[in-house]
Amino acid sequence: QVQLVESGGGTVQAGTSLSLSCAASLSLATIDMMAWYRQAPRKARELVGTISKDGSTGYVASVMGRFIISRDIPANTVSLLMPSLKPEDTAVYYCNAKIRSQTTQTLDNFWGRGTQVTVSS
């Protein structure tokens, strides 16, 4: 199974940038879909965006045009660039991977432990 480790979180002022990274223990070519989620205090976990095996990306409306998901295939890493953060972006950010098992043919779901992003006004 794949292990996912997020990094890059921290406390920043509104208008500044952060870039989060998700390092996978398997080649990205073996992962069907990767995604970023976030969970703000006292709120449900929500999808931020996805990146597929062919590199295509998708974003939810609240971050469309603000965040960028990219990948570094040799490094087995997916990134989330947040160029100009808002206080509303404060949350724990999680990396997610979906992999279809070669033995069971079921789609398995994997999560990182999360990294905290705090944006002060």
Side-chain angles (χ1 to χ4, degrees):
Q1 61 182 42
V2 65
Q3 296 182 86
L4 306 171
V5 180
E6 303 96 335
S7 63
T11 300
V12 299
Q13 294 182 344
T16 61
S17 68
L18 279 176
S19 183
L20 307 182
S21 294
C22 173
S25 62
L26 296 176
S27 169
L28 298 185
T30 68
I31 301 175
D32 292 281
M33 180 73 70
M34 296 199 69
W36 284 98
Y37 288 75
R38 66 183 181 183
Q39 186 167 19
R42 295 176 174 82
K43 294 185 178 180
R45 184 177 299 182
E46 65 174 351
L47 177 69
V48 175
T50 61
I51 184 164
S52 66
K53 189 178 297 184
D54 67 0
S56 61
T57 56
Y59 306 89
V60 297
S62 60
V63 306
M64 184 79 71
R66 297 199 301 120
F67 293 179
I68 301 172
I69 296 174
S70 61
R71 63 181 181 175
D72 185 339
I73 294 175
N76 297 342
T77 299
V78 171
S79 297
L80 177 65
L81 175 62
M82 304 178 289
S84 185
L85 286 160
K86 302 177 179 179
E88 310 92 87
D89 296 319
T90 295
V92 177
Y93 284 72
Y94 297 92
C95 183
N96 169 266
K98 289 180 170 61
I99 303 174
R100 187 168 299 280
S101 172
Q102 293 295 108
T103 55
T104 67
Q105 297 299 303
T106 58
L107 198 63
D108 297 325
N109 215 30
F110 302 92
W111 295 91
R113 63 185 180 182
T115 185
Q116 176 72 51
V117 172
T118 302
V119 185
S120 60
S121 60

